[in-house]
Amino acid sequence: MVDSLVLRLFGERWQVDLGRYADPDGHVTRLRQLWSRVVDDSAGETDVVFRPDPDTSESPLAPYLPDRTDGSFPYAFSRAVTQAAIDRHAGTALLLHAAGLVSDDARRGVVLVASSGTGKSTAARRLGQRLGYLSDELMLVDEREELQGLTKPISLIVPEFPGGKDESSPDELGLGPTPAVPPRLAALVCLARTQEAVPPRLDLISVHELIAEVVPQTSSLWRVDRPLRRLADAALRGGGPFRLSYAEIVDAEPLVRGLLEAEPMPDGVRDWIEHGPSEDERWQERAGATTAVGGLDDDALISRAPWTDAIEQDGEVSVLVGPAFTRIAGIAASIWLACARPLTVAELSDELAREHGPHPEADALVQAALRELGQRELIDVVSIGGAS
């Protein structure tokens, strides 16, 4: 009886132990078919032991995964492996909920980012029949902007199927080859499926739009060093940031292929500014950190609260504070930028008047902006006397 298999995931050998199930041999046989592109039968040490437990949950890499005899076990297994891979690699690289496709020469890859249920698997299935296949769910972009995908079976929505989704192997679907060597990033693209996009179009978007759309589709982004800069730099590849709008993804193949086949571009011109914190300013989890701000006197001293990373462009600022993302504009952005050094409310008011001009309701607007920034944990308030 065979009760285990070894999968090569993100460059590591994972030994999957299914010996606790009633029919481990049956599960192993089906999983070997579905995960055939990453089955590793070579000799050698394993890096990870993955032992799903049908009775208890021991750890993130040994999840509770009930035995299933209705055909839904492969999809449940895929979800468990995906989460375990995220847990293992969180903070080591950009982890994106995205499909990954590869050029014909296997040297360049494109990352198609979308929220769950909005087209990643369909894009991987349709376009992967014409291009190489990396993943339909999880992409890793390392510090050299090389790509690795969780090369799993394609999860297809089948409403009448137990669990709502069925699994098909890339080979069963006729998808293009998966490269043995990680390709370089050619482009990072936000997907937007809409019936109005006929023909499909590839639009340039602002770095703020890119960050706002992609941050929710990342895992533990805040644990990566300079995360917003890393994300924005990746989006510059191929001349981006891009949004691909389409009604039928197969019609967008020429646009995706064009990104893959274009000559690699040198580093793009950054038309944005990063505001990274010093070590002393860097965010760490704080209990009860929300700053209550209201009716501040002119001598109240305002400073930036600790943050993780920030990008400024065109008078707006995208800020990551731990796992929380926020985007600010107008005088709120001006206040946050000015508070690179602590300023009193009176000094801030003078600074805003110089930048934006006088306003009859300036005091009320400043107080409202300070309340907003406090609620978002972007500023700290300390009185001249030192009381917080």
Side-chain angles (χ1 to χ4, degrees):
M1 181 180 69
V2 178
D3 59 7
S4 68
L5 72 161
V6 176
L7 305 177
R8 182 165 288 278
L9 307 176
F10 291 144
E12 297 182 314
R13 300 180 79 243
W14 288 45
Q15 180 181 345
V16 179
D17 181 359
L18 300 173
R20 302 185 186 188
Y21 291 91
D23 181 21
D25 189 71
H27 286 324
V28 168
T29 298
R30 181 58 177 146
L31 293 177
R32 285 184 66 89
Q33 294 170 344
L34 292 171
W35 293 75
S36 58
R37 293 201 178 181
V38 292
V39 170
D40 186 348
D41 289 327
S42 64
E45 296 295 322
T46 55
D47 300 294
V48 177
V49 175
F50 183 75
R51 184 179 294 112
D53 193 323
D55 300 315
T56 62
S57 179
E58 297 178 349
S59 75
L61 293 183
Y64 171 69
L65 185 57
D67 206 352
R68 303 176 186 218
T69 59
D70 59 1
S72 64
F73 184 83
Y75 175 57
F77 177 82
S78 285
R79 293 184 63 186
V81 169
T82 300
Q83 186 58 57
I86 289 171
D87 292 341
R88 180 163 178 81
H89 293 281
T92 66
L94 296 179
L95 290 174
L96 303 170
H97 301 290
L101 300 164
V102 189
S103 59
D104 293 337
D105 64 7
R107 297 175 62 185
R108 306 184 75 210
V110 65
V111 176
L112 306 177
V113 182
S115 57
S116 179
T118 62
K120 293 192 303 295
S121 293
T122 299
R125 176 166 58 99
R126 298 288 189 183
L127 299 181
Q129 293 172 348
R130 297 165 169 81
L131 300 164
Y133 170 67
L134 282 173
S135 183
D136 75 328
E137 178 60 31
L138 182 63
M139 293 295 301
L140 182 152
V141 184
D142 69 18
E143 60 186 6
R144 298 179 300 277
E145 293 191 348
E146 292 183 345
L147 303 179
Q148 296 187 65
L150 185 67
T151 307
K152 56 181 285 297
I154 301 287
S155 301
L156 302 174
I157 296 176
V158 182
E160 65 275 12
F161 194 82
K165 288 190 178 182
D166 193 11
E167 301 275 280
S168 296
S169 77
D171 294 328
E172 290 171 338
L173 295 173
L175 303 191
T178 299
V181 177
R184 291 298 301 270
L185 176 66
L188 188 155
V189 180
C190 297
L191 290 185
R193 185 171 56 188
T194 169
Q195 293 305 311
E196 298 175 358
V198 180
R201 63 181 187 271
L202 192 64
D203 297 319
L204 280 171
I205 59 176
S206 73
V207 69
H208 294 303
E209 291 176 282
L210 178 281
I211 291 171
E213 291 189 25
V214 174
V215 165
Q217 310 312 322
T218 63
S219 291
S220 297
L221 178 67
W222 58 276
R223 293 175 57 183
V224 178
D225 183 48
R226 304 177 77 176
L228 294 188
R229 181 190 175 109
R230 289 274 299 274
L231 186 58
D233 277 345
L236 285 177
R237 295 290 167 256
F242 293 116
R243 180 187 295 118
L244 175 61
S245 300
Y246 65 95
E248 297 294 337
I249 191 62
V250 70
D251 296 333
E253 181 199 347
L255 296 174
V256 175
R257 187 176 288 277
L259 292 171
L260 288 168
E261 294 179 351
E263 286 296 319
M265 297 183 64
D267 288 346
V269 177
R270 298 188 182 101
D271 60 349
W272 43 265
I273 301 170
E274 182 194 19
H275 296 273
S278 67
E279 194 60 38
D280 290 340
E281 296 169 323
R282 192 175 308 279
W283 179 88
Q284 295 182 6
E285 192 165 0
R286 303 184 296 171
T290 300
T291 301
V293 177
L296 292 172
D297 295 334
D298 283 351
D299 62 352
L301 192 63
I302 311 298
S303 66
R304 289 181 188 173
W307 75 102
T308 302
D309 204 6
I311 296 291
E312 174 195 355
Q313 183 188 57
D314 297 333
E316 296 187 43
V317 185
S318 291
V319 189
L320 197 63
V321 180
F325 165 73
T326 191
R327 179 177 172 182
I328 52 177
I331 65 170
S334 297
I335 289 172
W336 191 86
L337 292 169
C339 286
R341 61 183 179 87
L343 296 173
T344 65
V345 172
E347 290 171 331
L348 276 173
S349 297
D350 291 342
E351 181 74 23
L352 293 171
R354 285 190 293 270
E355 181 177 348
H356 297 279
H359 192 284
E361 298 180 8
D363 290 345
L365 291 173
V366 170
Q367 294 289 340
L370 290 172
R371 281 195 299 272
E372 176 189 354
L373 292 168
Q375 290 167 355
R376 298 189 187 192
E377 300 184 14
L378 296 179
I379 60 169
D380 283 334
V381 181
V382 181
S383 72
I384 292 295
S388 60

